[in-house]
Amino acid sequence: MKSSKVPSSLAAVFLLALLGAPVAGRSQVPATQAPTKPAEPVSPSGDGPIRFTFQPIDFKLDSCETPEHHAPETMAGGVAVFDYNNDGKLDIFFTNGADIKTLHKTSAKYSNRLFENDGHGHFTDVTEKAGLAGTGYDTGVAIGDYDNDGYEDIFVAGVYRNTLYHNNGNGTFTDVTAKAGLNKPDAEYGPLWSVAAAWVDVNNDGLLDLVVINYLKWDFDHEPVCAGYGHRDYCHPKFYKPTPNQLFINNGDGTFRDASVEAGFRAHPGKGMGVAAADSELSGKLDLMVPNDKLMNSFFRSKGGGKFEEVAFDENVALREDGVFISGMGVDFRDLDNDGYPDIFLVALDGETFPLYRNTGKGSFVEVTRESNMTKLSLPMAGYSPTIADFDNDGWKDIFVSRGHVQSLLAAPNVMVEQPNTVFRNLGGMKFSALTAEAGLTSQPPSRHRGSALGDLNGDGRLDVVVSALNAPAEIWLNQSPGNHHWLEFKLQGTKSNRDGIGARIKLVTKSGAQYNHMTTSAGYASSSAGPVHFGLGANASADLVEIRWPSGIVQQMRDVAGDRVVVVKEPAQEAGRR
């Protein structure tokens, strides 16, 4: 949430200056820790650009916007893509708002929604049967099987009310928030407004723990009055106090304990807008990147055992390279240059750029926003939710960004409030091109887009995207990218590790080289993508080698894996091949 004012002329001048199915032959054999040769880049002119076609879905996000412009009204919109009934087809869940004064869903228009996928692009509303309509002002969503029963559970983050839904395995969910111990207000701050969350096994005990990202301290009865362009609008975050993030350790009996202090989170309050998890140093432990709104970002490096140290400044990701505070929104944390080390990409508002940090492989990051073309491409854009994935299956991960401004519609035409979405195509060599109209993303009117989640919704091997928008219809963007590139997806089933395999690192080698990805469900803004781990193979019809490093330490290899299918991989029980 950001300033109602345009950037100063001095800042503008400075910014412009910056422009210059199972596979046989599994084995557990040791593998080298160091990444191998990256995949060779595919010519960007090869088979044409990434392209999407629009498909409507019967959902409209209602954030209860009022003339007073209360802070939560512009922050709604989390989306989840996941398989709620284990039929192999990815379903869609939308969070929704509530009455802003009472924070209760006083009308059916505020209902959260679950849509079941028939696998052919048709979605049926099953919210009532599932028991997922919700009760509060909901913002974000995180998907994870916290009890390892084989069915994905749902954590919903909201304004002063979080909800944990247990998946009963029969198409219904049960609210177990109180039973789990997740309904207690903070002793110092009182109820907290959470925006996002991540399921991560922080102590490698095979049970998913819950990281909750909290935004700022907000009070309906004491909303500051802020004006811009001659009208009241949403306030700059400086008018609100920061709040700490939280860690809840899974006790294995359906309950969680608050371990925020011992984790090191409590000492670093912020105004978090997202969270992404990755093993930045290939140590077997997941680190957490949290962008903050007009504050230094937080980077929590895992020390193991559920303990973290905040090292954003040392890692060189606390600020943009010029030291300016930006409106850090959503984030993703994956390997963009195929060197085996996950990189960080986050989005912000117009005039602030979308910072890109390359992992050096030496325990730190270097900002490459300008060198990657991202400065000049993103400077006029306002972004909310970035998701990193290979949308054209050429072996290089691209970046989809849901776009829209934080300000109300009253700010137009002084600010470009409603915007189209954009996909940044990876050209190799850490260079990107921006595709908006070229990608078909202007076939619908611009909007104030918020959350986004991805997955292959129609089983054609191309990743689709679902996007929410404030007080506007949600959007499904079906991937229709041209070309005959091959692909592979891996649906992991942990045994010693957590059932979802969250934290598992996967290396895939073809004749074109190596590429890397890892299992995680939380990325972007307030959203969760819980489909199988996706790889594009380019012209290669198979992978010569697939190597999985499970959180338990077991290393598993598969050779000559045929492409164009989803491969279910179960973690072996043997101890051989541990690192």
Side-chain angles (χ1 to χ4, degrees):
M1 200 165 48
K2 337 300 153 198
S3 173
S4 303
K5 299 180 180 179
V6 295
S8 69
S9 58
L10 181 61
V13 169
F14 181 82
L15 285 165
L16 289 172
L18 290 175
L19 296 177
V23 173
R26 298 178 188 159
S27 60
Q28 300 82 53
V29 298
T32 58
Q33 182 77 3
T36 56
K37 171 181 171 287
E40 294 296 329
V42 175
S43 169
S45 61
D47 294 308
I50 300 167
R51 189 161 185 86
F52 296 91
T53 58
F54 170 76
Q55 176 176 310
I57 187 168
D58 186 20
F59 174 73
K60 181 180 179 179
L61 171 65
D62 195 319
S63 66
C64 191
E65 282 195 285
T66 65
E68 293 75 31
H69 294 106
H70 297 283
E73 297 168 13
T74 193
M75 293 298 174
V79 183
V81 169
F82 73 117
D83 185 0
Y84 89 97
N85 55 1
N86 285 357
D87 66 353
K89 307 176 188 71
L90 294 176
D91 312 298
I92 302 172
F93 177 81
F94 293 100
T95 65
N96 206 348
D99 180 273
I100 190 64
K101 183 176 182 179
T102 66
L103 301 180
H104 289 121
K105 295 187 187 298
T106 55
S107 167
K109 68 180 182 178
Y110 297 128
S111 172
N112 299 332
R113 303 279 289 279
L114 175 66
F115 291 89
E116 184 176 329
N117 183 3
D118 71 354
H120 301 288
H122 302 104
F123 294 87
T124 302
D125 188 338
V126 294
T127 309
E128 184 176 353
K129 174 188 173 184
L132 291 174
T135 56
Y137 199 110
D138 296 320
T139 306
V141 55
I143 302 297
D145 182 3
Y146 74 87
D147 58 353
N148 291 333
D149 66 353
Y151 289 90
E152 299 286 7
D153 308 300
I154 306 174
F155 176 80
V156 175
V159 183
Y160 300 164
R161 179 201 302 263
N162 297 326
T163 311
L164 178 62
Y165 293 101
H166 176 261
N167 189 332
N168 301 320
N170 59 0
T172 69
F173 291 78
T174 300
D175 182 343
V176 295
T177 315
K179 176 185 175 182
L182 296 175
N183 64 334
K184 302 171 184 175
D186 186 87
E188 179 181 353
Y189 291 84
L192 294 170
W193 170 8
S194 60
V195 169
W199 291 103
V200 182
D201 184 0
V202 300
N203 50 14
N204 279 351
D205 64 353
L207 299 168
L208 289 177
D209 310 299
L210 181 63
V211 174
V212 178
I213 304 303
N214 296 307
Y215 188 36
L216 43 75
K217 192 63 181 174
W218 169 78
D219 183 349
F220 175 87
D221 294 321
H222 298 90
E223 185 75 75
V225 177
C226 300
Y229 306 110
H231 64 268
R232 184 168 177 173
D233 216 318
Y234 297 111
C235 287
H236 190 287
K238 69 184 179 182
F239 291 100
Y240 308 85
K241 294 181 180 180
T243 58
N245 301 312
Q246 296 166 289
L247 171 65
F248 296 95
I249 297 292
N250 191 335
N251 294 322
D253 59 359
T255 67
F256 293 79
R257 67 176 180 87
D258 190 337
S260 307
V261 173
E262 61 196 75
F265 289 177
R266 193 75 182 186
H268 301 281
K271 299 174 183 178
M273 290 282 284
V275 58
D279 183 356
S280 66
E281 296 180 313
L282 312 186
S283 65
K285 301 182 290 287
L286 287 180
D287 308 307
L288 303 169
M289 176 66 186
V290 179
N292 284 305
D293 197 353
K294 292 293 187 180
L295 292 175
M296 287 193 293
N297 301 317
S298 300
F299 187 94
F300 294 101
R301 180 193 290 150
S302 176
K303 300 166 65 177
K307 294 180 171 57
F308 295 81
E309 57 180 337
E310 203 292 303
V311 292
F313 193 82
D314 295 337
E315 293 277 350
N316 197 36
V317 297
L319 296 165
R320 206 173 60 187
E321 60 187 353
D322 55 5
V324 173
F325 287 145
I326 65 170
S327 309
M329 312 292 256
V331 62
D332 207 348
F333 193 174
R334 297 181 190 269
D335 182 12
L336 282 163
D337 56 357
N338 288 343
D339 68 349
Y341 292 93
D343 310 296
I344 295 172
F345 180 79
L346 57 94
V347 296
L349 293 185
D350 51 300
E352 296 180 338
T353 75
F354 298 168
L356 174 58
Y357 300 94
R358 182 178 62 82
N359 191 328
T360 65
K362 300 176 182 179
S364 64
F365 295 79
V366 58
E367 186 177 346
V368 293
T369 313
R370 181 173 53 184
E371 297 88 337
S372 67
N373 302 326
M374 197 59 69
T375 296
K376 64 182 179 182
L377 296 175
S378 67
L379 191 63
M381 300 179 180
Y384 249 87
S385 184
T387 48
I388 296 173
D390 188 351
F391 291 104
D392 54 2
N393 286 335
D394 66 350
W396 293 86
K397 298 180 194 68
D398 314 292
I399 308 170
F400 186 101
V401 175
S402 70
R403 291 173 51 197
H405 209 282
V406 71
Q407 298 301 99
S408 74
L409 293 174
L410 296 174
N414 299 292
V415 174
M416 188 166 62
V417 177
E418 297 177 300
Q419 301 188 16
N421 302 310
T422 294
V423 61
F424 295 90
R425 191 182 189 202
N426 192 335
L427 306 178
M430 218 57 158
K431 302 285 186 182
F432 293 85
S433 63
L435 306 176
T436 303
E438 304 92 330
L441 295 170
T442 56
S443 63
Q444 292 298 302
S447 194
R448 287 177 293 168
H449 298 105
R450 291 301 184 255
S452 68
L454 58 84
D456 183 359
L457 297 176
N458 53 10
D460 67 355
R462 292 172 289 194
L463 291 173
D464 312 301
V465 187
V466 183
V467 184
S468 69
L470 282 189
N471 299 307
E475 302 165 357
I476 296 177
W477 292 100
L478 293 177
N479 191 337
Q480 301 290 323
S481 299
N484 298 311
H485 290 159
H486 299 281
W487 56 277
L488 265 172
E489 289 190 345
F490 299 95
K491 182 175 177 57
L492 305 183
Q493 293 183 0
T495 54
K496 295 178 69 67
S497 303
N498 65 85
R499 171 70 184 226
D500 289 336
I502 288 176
R505 302 201 320 271
I506 304 177
K507 177 173 75 172
L508 182 145
V509 181
T510 67
K511 292 178 176 58
S512 300
Q515 52 177 302
Y516 305 80
N517 209 338
H518 63 281
M519 179 58 194
T520 180
T521 66
S522 293
Y525 173 72
S527 297
S528 196
S529 301
V533 183
H534 182 93
F535 288 87
L537 304 183
N540 302 286
S542 64
D544 298 336
L545 171 68
V546 175
E547 177 182 280
I548 303 172
R549 291 179 172 269
W550 294 87
S552 65
I554 290 175
V555 179
Q556 184 175 8
Q557 287 190 344
M558 302 176 287
R559 298 185 182 276
D560 301 322
V561 183
D564 302 324
R565 58 183 178 145
V566 178
V567 181
V568 178
V569 185
K570 187 173 183 179
E571 180 183 16
Q574 294 88 345
E575 293 294 318
R578 292 180 65 87
R579 55 175 175 260

